[in-house]
């Protein structure tokens, strides 16, 4: 298992393998969070944290429309974005913030760029 942790280690995630590819999305939230996403089936991601340690954010406008796609999760103590939980059409998927892996774990992963701001097309990769 590979571990990812927030800065204060109050939230720890375990995944079965290191990512071979991560996604750099330019949508309005991912761009501001500065994350790289590694995707896994939700059943393969183990989140170890006290229930009160994790805060969830779902965009209100999407929730009001009845079709939110993800709940972004972060550590209440140190503020690190740790992962997202798939909702609606994304149920069963989890995105882990790959920047929380040790540098050596992330070093071998290729980065693909996703135009989440407009077309949802892959722009380029490393």
């Amino acid at each position: 298992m590979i571990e990812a942790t927030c800065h204060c280690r109050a939230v720890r995630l375990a995944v079965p393998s290191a990512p071979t590819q991560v996604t750099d999305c330019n949508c309005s939230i991912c761009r501001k969070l500065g994350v790289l996403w590694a995707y896994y089936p939700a059943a393969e991601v183990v989140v170890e944290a006290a229930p009160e340690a994790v805060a969830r954010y779902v965009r209100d406008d999407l929730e009001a429309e009845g079709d939110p796609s993800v709940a972004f999760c972060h550590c209440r103590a140190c503020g690190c974005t740790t992962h997202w939980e798939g909702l609606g059409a994304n149920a069963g998927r989890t995105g882990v913030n790959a920047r929380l892996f040790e540098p050596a774990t992330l070093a071998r992963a290729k980065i693909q760029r996703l135009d989440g701001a407009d077309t949802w097309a892959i722009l380029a990769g490393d």
Side-chain angles (χ1 to χ4, degrees):
M1 294 292 270
I2 305 296
E3 185 177 74
T5 65
C6 67
H7 191 259
C8 71
R9 299 188 56 83
V11 181
R12 296 174 309 283
L13 300 102
V15 296
S17 59
T20 56
Q21 179 174 289
V22 295
T23 299
D24 180 7
C25 177
N26 69 355
C27 78
S28 61
I29 192 163
C30 293
R31 178 172 43 88
K32 292 173 192 271
L33 293 173
V35 296
L36 293 173
W37 295 118
Y39 305 116
Y40 296 91
E44 293 182 0
V45 179
V46 177
V47 178
E48 298 176 358
E52 66 277 2
V54 178
R56 288 170 177 76
Y57 169 71
V58 177
R59 276 183 44 187
D60 290 339
D61 58 336
L62 294 178
E63 194 168 29
E65 294 172 15
D67 189 24
S69 59
V70 299
F72 291 95
C73 301
H74 69 271
C75 174
R76 287 186 192 269
C78 68
C80 288
T81 298
T82 54
H83 63 292
W84 57 252
E85 298 169 341
L87 305 171
N90 276 323
R93 280 186 77 188
T94 298
V96 174
N97 182 359
R99 293 194 184 276
L100 302 183
F101 292 125
E102 288 297 320
T105 299
L106 185 56
R108 291 182 291 265
K110 294 183 187 269
I111 299 173
Q112 75 172 354
R113 306 210 186 288
L114 173 67
D115 182 15
D118 189 31
T119 65
W120 288 99
I122 302 299
L123 297 173
D126 287 348

